[in-house]
Amino acid sequence: MSDQWPPVAAAGPVAHAGRSAEWARPRPDAPALRRDILLAAVLAVGATTTSLLYARTGMFGDPPALWLWIVGVALCTLPLALRRLAPIPVAVVVAVGFFVCGQFGVPEILVINICLFIAIYTVTAWEPRRALAAWALLGITTAMIAWLVISLIVASSSTEDFLGAPRYGIFSAYATYAVIQIITNLLYFGGAIAFGHRAWVAARTQAKLEAQGKELELERQTSAAQAVALDRLSVARELHDVVAHHVSVMGIQAAAARRSLDRDPAQAALALGVVEESAHTTVAELRALVHTLRTPENEDGRVTVGISQIPTLVEEAQGAGVPTTFIVVGEPRPIPFLVDVALYRVTQESLTNVRKHAGRGAEANVRLRFDAQAIEVEVTDTGVARRFPPREDSPTGGQPDEGGLGLRGMRERIGAVGGTVATGRRERDGFMVRARVPLSAPQPGGDDGAARGPAAGQPEPVDSTAAGARE
């Protein structure tokens, strides 16, 4: 790159400068600014040294005045200390310094070319206002082209030979030299813009990746918080089911023992025995639950519940004074663990509600139904369901509200395994809870007829116009 012919910008890369307007590159930090100051100082010292060496060779003839020498070298090097803070002004000042050095014959052609390259590169790589950067590069390029053309015209009018060869003719030595200068400057300036644009794109890509990484981290933290909340909700459901069931039995038996203590001590002792047994069972289930929470990885050794323990629930209900029958319809088969626990808890909660709300003399019926597509648990009673007048501000729009905590917990638990829960007052006296969970694959040759008809456990019609109020 000669100091006689200023670099000319290629028009192609400039058009890319306006594509990244949606993102602004952050300003450099303090260490980056310190590196720029150090770079400017090193270039200033280097330019001074090389200019003295070039002057010593005598290649440039008589050197210019000292003040022009100092101004030209200073304008080319020192502004680079602020190149990333004010890319466009620095590029303009460096271009002016380059013009001074070339026009007035300052004996330096190495470092000032490096300085101009860095200045143009910085405009493309760091200027956040991309449209303004494109216009600035276009302006500097136009000025350089004008200087180049004028210099070539002035030099071509000289009658002196060039390198011992004439200047006339299209293929003269001078014309060849001019073409080489133009090509060299185009490559020089185009390379600075291309490298700067690539640095801009790389910085934008890095910023996008960092932003995506932060979003993923935030999403991970949100997912972890949601998982903790779901675990807490699951624990709350388990505690509600365990405590509500057994405490209900204990309350009923304690009341029976209090009433029969004077007239029938044996019956009171029997009721108190049921209370004691329920207390032991409650403590055992709570300990098993706490053990599961403390050692979730030890799934093989944990104590759990499922539909195989439904007969135990029936016995407890009978012991609490509620005549209860248990019917299994269809051919039992293995079911998923979560479905197993969910159906057990629905049965447990439903029998608890029978004891709390069905009234004296009520009977309960538990049906466990296996068919080809699903498994179903239905708990019905013959008690008189309590009714409440509809609330105008209820979320059901004034319809009877059956959304107690117990029923809501059933729906959430069964819904989590892909099933549904139907609840409501029966056409005859009593209340019905039916939980149905579809199975993943139908069993070939399943006996669908086994689940049909009242005798086989066919669910009775539900009156959807008035729902019983259960917990």
Side-chain angles (χ1 to χ4, degrees), residues 205-228:
T205 303
Q206 180 67 22
K208 184 183 297 184
L209 292 176
E210 291 178 357
Q212 291 176 351
K214 292 179 181 179
E215 291 179 0
L216 291 176
E217 177 64 19
L218 181 61
E219 183 177 354
R220 186 194 66 80
Q221 295 177 358
T222 303
S223 299
Q226 290 176 348
V228 171

Side-chain angles (χ1 to χ4, degrees), residues 22-90:
E22 71 279 1
W23 175 76
R25 188 169 185 175
R27 287 305 185 187
D29 53 9
L33 295 178
R34 287 195 292 268
R35 289 194 296 269
D36 289 343
I37 295 174
L38 179 61
L39 174 64
V42 170
L43 290 175
V45 174
T48 303
T49 303
T50 55
S51 63
L52 292 175
L53 294 176
Y54 276 121
R56 179 63 178 169
T57 63
M59 296 172 52
F60 293 87
D62 295 333
L66 181 60
W67 68 272
L68 280 175
W69 195 333
I70 296 175
V71 168
V73 172
L75 290 178
C76 286
T77 58
L78 296 182
L80 292 177
L82 305 176
R83 66 186 184 94
R84 282 188 274 195
L85 291 179
I88 293 177
V90 168

Side-chain angles (χ1 to χ4, degrees), residues 219-265:
E219 183 177 354
R220 186 194 66 80
Q221 295 177 358
T222 303
S223 299
Q226 290 176 348
V228 171
L230 291 176
D231 288 342
R232 290 177 177 175
L233 181 60
S234 177
V235 172
R237 290 171 181 164
E238 294 290 337
L239 289 176
H240 173 271
D241 292 341
V242 171
V243 175
H245 172 73
H246 292 291
V247 171
S248 175
V249 173
M250 293 163 60
I252 294 174
Q253 295 297 331
R258 180 178 58 81
R259 292 191 180 95
S260 59
L261 183 61
D262 295 334
R263 52 186 174 81
D264 193 352

